[in-house]
Amino acid sequence: MKIAGTDRIFLTTEQIILNEEADWVVFVHGAGGSSRTWRKQIEAFRPHFNILLLDLRDHGDSQNMVPPKDGRYDLRLMGQDVVDTLRALEIPRAHFVGVSMGSIVVRWIERLDPEMVISVVLAGGVFRLNYKMKVLLFAGYYASKILPFGLLYRIMAWIVLPRQNHRQSRKIFVRESRKIDPRAYLKWLGMVRTVGTELQTFFNQPITVPTLITMGSQDHVFLGPARQYHANFPAQSTLEIIPGVGHVCNIEAADQFNRRALEFLSDHRQSRSVYLATAQ
């Protein structure tokens, strides 16, 4: 996306504006997703906040981004893309909602520009890679040399979202992943060599803004680290576990997620407008 008055290419975004005084909520999707994975949130949030939906680098419509000069392709770069895009759009402060790997991008945004972040909601937050996930990512990285990208992504989606009631989440993410250039996805897989170190640093540091962590009780990969993180920093974070759903709880339990996220963000809004309704 090009912005008038600049020569740079920024992330592709969609803005849904309530009014000039309303707080902004920025939605950050996960690996293989796109802004479309937030469709179950739009109708609930639009009566109360300005909304910014974006596609991360090489996802959705954010194609042909300029490669980093230092050649480093990592989650810090993804966070910097978001910060640069919001600055170009003249959005100085916002609430951030991130899902899965997007939660790590949100942590980077907080580190790169702390004043930009008012509060945070994480759905299926990734706080640390357990042994199971490390094996999965490294296996995926080496299997990518012989397996087609589409098949590899479906296998990984089944491992993270294995149950019958996770079917809708799997379907949405597999559908959106078809827009990713396989070469770009290999770059994401290549980040397994650094993401563990990044997460270990973040895991030992509290988030500096009010944070709601929402997890599915069936999230067999990421729930344990989320519980431990909250136990380490109970004053800085609120943990809510939604029963009977998996990793992508904002899709599987959209009504519950929307209601709680809206209540939390409204408690920390900066604008004068007041949240009066409960998401249906």
Side-chain angles (χ1 to χ4, degrees):
M1 175 186 75
K2 285 194 174 183
I3 295 176
T6 71
D7 295 325
R8 289 191 54 187
I9 297 176
F10 297 93
L11 300 177
T12 297
T13 65
E14 176 185 352
Q15 300 179 49
I16 302 173
I17 298 176
L18 175 62
N19 60 62
E20 292 183 358
E21 293 186 352
D23 285 14
W24 282 91
V25 176
V26 179
F27 289 90
V28 183
H29 64 77
S34 76
S35 59
R36 288 177 172 269
T37 59
W38 297 109
R39 292 305 169 189
K40 288 180 177 286
Q41 277 64 63
I42 292 176
E43 292 306 313
F45 278 74
R46 70 190 307 167
H48 314 293
F49 294 95
N50 294 330
I51 294 173
L52 183 70
L53 302 161
L54 52 81
D55 291 333
L56 294 176
R57 176 181 291 258
D58 298 324
H59 289 66
D61 294 325
S62 291
Q63 305 295 328
N64 302 316
M65 298 286 290
V66 177
K69 292 181 180 179
D70 60 6
R72 291 184 58 184
Y73 195 95
D74 53 22
L75 291 169
R76 184 187 188 281
L77 173 64
M78 309 301 161
Q80 189 65 59
D81 285 339
V82 177
V83 169
D84 292 345
T85 299
L86 264 66
R87 288 173 178 169
L89 292 172
E90 298 183 348
I91 300 174
R93 302 202 74 199
H95 308 270
F96 288 83
V97 181
V99 63
S100 192
M101 295 290 276
S103 66
I104 312 175
V105 177
V106 171
R107 293 298 306 271
W108 268 115
I109 295 167
E110 179 209 12
R111 173 171 286 193
L112 292 165
D113 191 344
E115 293 300 314
M116 181 173 281
V117 184
I118 303 170
S119 69
V120 167
V121 175
L122 303 179
V126 177
F127 291 90
R128 193 167 62 180
L129 300 182
N130 60 16
Y131 179 76
K132 183 188 301 184
M133 195 62 191
K134 288 179 181 178
V135 170
L136 172 61
L137 288 175
F138 275 100
Y141 176 70
Y142 289 107
S144 66
K145 301 179 185 300
I146 56 175
L147 293 179
F149 159 70
L151 175 60
L152 179 61
Y153 192 88
R154 287 196 297 273
I155 291 172
M156 296 182 74
W158 270 99
I159 293 172
V160 175
L161 297 161
R163 302 197 185 199
Q164 179 63 25
N165 58 295
H166 305 166
R167 182 171 179 269
Q168 183 183 19
S169 300
R170 286 197 308 268
K171 182 178 179 181
I172 290 173
F173 275 84
V174 169
R175 181 193 68 202
E176 293 305 309
S177 72
R178 296 192 182 108
K179 300 178 182 179
I180 303 175
D181 187 314
R183 291 169 296 182
Y185 190 71
L186 289 178
K187 294 177 184 177
W188 275 78
L189 281 177
M191 288 190 289
V192 301
R193 292 168 291 185
T194 60
V195 71
T197 302
E198 291 178 43
L199 283 175
Q200 190 60 43
T201 300
F202 285 137
F203 190 77
N204 294 317
Q205 297 175 349
I207 299 176
T208 60
V209 297
T211 300
L212 171 66
I213 304 165
T214 56
M215 307 293 294
S217 66
Q218 297 172 350
D219 190 339
H220 66 106
V221 177
F222 299 110
L223 178 55
R227 279 181 166 144
Q228 187 175 352
Y229 182 86
H230 172 64
N232 292 342
F233 305 108
Q236 293 88 354
S237 62
T238 300
L239 174 64
E240 295 207 0
I241 300 174
I242 302 176
V245 299
H247 179 53
V248 193
C249 55
N250 65 297
I251 292 178
E252 289 184 56
D255 290 346
Q256 295 177 64
F257 173 83
N258 293 343
R259 182 172 59 252
R260 186 63 188 97
L262 280 168
E263 290 172 351
F264 180 83
L265 294 177
S266 296
D267 286 342
H268 299 285
R269 71 165 72 241
Q270 293 198 320
S271 66
R272 289 175 294 178
S273 55
V274 179
Y275 174 61
L276 297 174
T278 300
Q280 299 298 317

